[in-house]
Amino acid sequence: MSDYTESVPKLGKTVIIGSGNWGTTLALLFSQKHKVHLWTISQKEADEINQTGENKPFLPGIKLGKNVLVEKKFSREIKSNDVIIIAIPSRKVIDLIDEFLAAGIEDCIILNASKGVKHSTLLTVGQHFFARMPKIKFATLSGPTIARELAEGQPAKAVLASKNVALLLQLQSRLENDRLKFEFSRDIKGVELAASLKGIIAIAVGISDGLGFQSN
């Protein structure tokens, strides 16, 4: 686990694991300035998106552009300075870590964009990565971001959290653009828990509205 004193090498390629609506939206956003590798479960899915330039099941009508290269996951070598963005359901994170280790990947830059905790352990995504892959440099991205709105051009602000300030600055330089701006935090666990609790609060508010309760 890196701290604020640790330097960060020049960033390598950007890889997004998870081709749902959120992962695809992040690929669209982050490809404004450089190439992004979007990893899917199967080669068939990758071929379909590459051929049409569109992820029709998740973001119909949104063209991805030439800077998004869609590939089957782990079909490309991962190096220690590559930025790996995790955009899968949090319940699948442990399986993904197993895949990293099976592929011999122990040292890279992980940016978590998944929200939620593992139900069986109540541990955050960051806690699972730190426990199994202690050599990584880790950050998390969270905020009130709705994938479809961002994909359609609406602006938003999110939080980048890491104990490594140098990493935050490099990620901001690499990923921030005119559509998505970042604030910084060094409280990884707090940001991840807030993202998880947001969903619980939203459900409670929906129940309250359904019961006809007012603002009080």
Side-chain angles (χ1 to χ4, degrees), residues 82-166:
D82 289 338
V83 180
I84 314 301
I85 301 172
I86 309 300
I88 63 174
S90 57
R91 67 180 182 275
K92 297 183 178 180
V93 164
I94 291 178
D95 293 337
L96 179 63
I97 294 173
D98 289 339
E99 291 183 86
F100 273 114
L101 296 176
I105 302 167
E106 298 182 3
D107 184 14
C108 58
I109 298 167
I110 297 289
L111 174 58
N112 171 45
S114 297
K115 296 178 180 179
V117 298
K118 178 70 174 176
H119 294 173
S120 60
T121 63
L122 295 183
L123 296 178
T124 67
V125 172
Q127 288 174 311
H128 280 294
F129 269 104
F130 290 142
R132 302 280 305 283
M133 299 175 66
K135 294 181 181 180
I136 61 170
K137 295 177 176 64
F138 186 88
T140 197
L141 183 159
S142 188
T145 47
I146 298 174
R148 184 76 197 191
E149 292 183 4
L150 278 165
E152 291 176 346
Q154 296 297 314
K157 177 173 280 190
V159 176
L160 278 178
S162 177
K163 293 187 179 299
N164 188 327
V165 176

Side-chain angles (χ1 to χ4, degrees), residues 159-199:
V159 176
L160 278 178
S162 177
K163 293 187 179 299
N164 188 327
V165 176
L167 177 60
L168 289 175
L169 292 170
Q170 288 223 40
L171 289 174
Q172 180 187 43
S173 177
R174 166 67 65 92
L175 303 176
E176 190 174 82
N177 52 55
D178 58 359
R179 202 177 306 180
L180 182 62
K181 300 295 183 180
F182 298 124
E183 292 185 2
F184 288 168
S185 172
R186 295 191 60 218
D187 183 8
I188 296 172
K189 185 177 179 181
V191 170
E192 290 190 312
L193 287 177
S196 301
L197 290 170
K198 178 269 302 176

